[in-house]
C-alpha cells in the first residue's frame, strides 16, 4: 500500500483515481445499469453501490466516534467474516438508484472524505492508534486512518475501473 506524506498528496491521489473511475460511467446508458456481463462480477449499478457503501461506512465510523459512540466495524449488522452479505446489502440498498443518483451519492461521499481528511491533524491521519474504530477494525495489524481511506477509495477505484472497462468492452 502506498504511503502518503501529506493530506494534500492523499487527497490528490483520491481525486485522480476517482475522476478516472467515475468517467467510465459516462457512456453507460441507464437502461443497462443492471445488465450482467460474462466474466465481470458486478453490474454498473452494483459497482457504484459497492463504492457508495464502503465510503459511507468509513464516514460513518468517523462520525460515530466523534459523537462518542462505540463503533463496530465493518457495521452493526455485519462482521468481517460476512463481507459477502455486506456486499449484497450494498447492492440491495443502493443499486436500485439511477446511475446519476449513485454518482451523486459517491461524489458527496468523496467530498465528505476530503473534509474528514482536512479536519484531522497529521497525527490523527498518519499515526497509529488515533481512532478506536481503526484499531478495532483489525485483529493483529495496526492501520492508520489514512490506510482505511486509501483502501476504500484509491485502491477500489483502480480495481473497479478495470472491471467496469471490461463490462463496457463486453456490453457496449
Amino acid at each position: 500500500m502506498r504511503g502518503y506524506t501529506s493530506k494534500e498528496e492523499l487527497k490528490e491521489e483520491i481525486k485522480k483515481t476517482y475522476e478516472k473511475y467515475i468517467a467510465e460511467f459516462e457512456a453507460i446508458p441507464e437502461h443497462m445499469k443492471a445488465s450482467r456481463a460474462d466474466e465481470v462480477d458486478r453490474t454498473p449499478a452494483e459497482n457504484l453501490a459497492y463504492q457508495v457503501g464502503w465510503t459511507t461506512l468509513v464516514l460513518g465510523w468517523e462520525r460515530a466516534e466523534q459523537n462518542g459512540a462505540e463503533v463496530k466495524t465493518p457495521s452493526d449488522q455485519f462482521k468481517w467474516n460476512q463481507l459477502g452479505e455486506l456486499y449484497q446489502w450494498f447492492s440491495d440498498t443502493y443499486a436500485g438508484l439511477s446511475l446519476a443518483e449513485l454518482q451523486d451519492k459517491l461524489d458527496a461521499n468523496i467530498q465528505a472524505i476530503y473534509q474528514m481528511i482536512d479536519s484531522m491533524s497529521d497525527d490523527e491521519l498518519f499515526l497509529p492508534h488515533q481512532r478506536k474504530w481503526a484499531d478495532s477494525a483489525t485483529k493483529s495489524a495496526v492501520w492508520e486512518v489514512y490506510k482505511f481511506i486509501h483502501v476504500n477509495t484509491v485502491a477500489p477505484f483502480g480495481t473497479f475501473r478495470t472491471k467496469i472497462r471490461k463490462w463496457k468492452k463486453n456490453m457496449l
Side-chain angles (χ1 to χ4, degrees):
M1 177 181 315
R2 180 177 173 172
Y4 298 94
T5 58
S6 72
K7 292 178 183 184
E8 293 308 314
E9 186 181 3
L10 174 59
K11 291 190 317 186
E12 186 57 37
E13 190 70 11
I14 294 168
K15 181 179 187 278
K16 181 176 76 175
T17 57
Y18 174 65
E19 287 175 352
K20 288 179 181 178
Y21 168 75
I22 209 69
E24 295 297 337
F25 292 89
E26 291 174 13
I28 299 173
E30 181 65 28
H31 73 275
M32 294 185 75
K33 75 174 191 163
S35 298
R36 295 226 171 263
D38 291 339
E39 302 175 24
V40 181
D41 62 348
R42 289 182 175 89
T43 67
E46 291 168 342
N47 189 306
L48 283 165
Y50 178 96
Q51 308 301 337
V52 169
W54 275 113
T55 54
T56 298
L57 283 178
V58 170
L59 290 163
W61 299 337
E62 179 64 13
R63 188 176 318 108
E65 184 162 324
Q66 293 306 308
N67 290 331
E70 181 182 337
V71 179
K72 293 183 181 174
T73 57
S75 77
D76 290 337
Q77 298 170 301
F78 301 97
K79 296 179 179 169
W80 287 108
N81 64 352
Q82 297 175 301
L83 291 180
E85 292 95 333
L86 177 61
Y87 301 158
Q88 185 59 53
W89 185 86
F90 290 161
S91 289
D92 293 345
T93 302
Y94 301 114
L97 299 173
S98 71
L99 292 175
E101 290 170 318
L102 285 163
Q103 290 175 68
D104 287 347
K105 280 193 174 297
L106 184 55
D107 189 62
N109 282 358
I110 294 303
Q111 297 309 313
I113 286 172
Y114 293 151
Q115 291 172 353
M116 181 178 126
I117 291 167
D118 286 338
S119 74
M120 294 179 153
S121 70
D122 285 349
D123 285 355
E124 289 172 318
L125 193 59
F126 296 112
L127 294 179
H129 310 301
Q130 300 295 307
R131 290 294 189 270
K132 290 177 188 172
W133 63 257
D135 285 346
S136 68
T138 58
K139 293 283 186 215
S140 58
V142 175
W143 277 31
E144 301 84 356
V145 170
Y146 88 87
K147 285 184 183 178
F148 284 95
I149 295 171
H150 173 92
V151 170
N152 290 292
T153 59
V154 175
F157 291 155
T159 302
F160 280 70
R161 179 177 179 234
T162 301
K163 291 180 181 212
I164 203 65
R165 288 170 69 92
K166 187 173 188 177
W167 182 93
K168 287 168 42 179
K169 182 178 179 186
N170 289 341
M171 299 297 286
L172 299 180

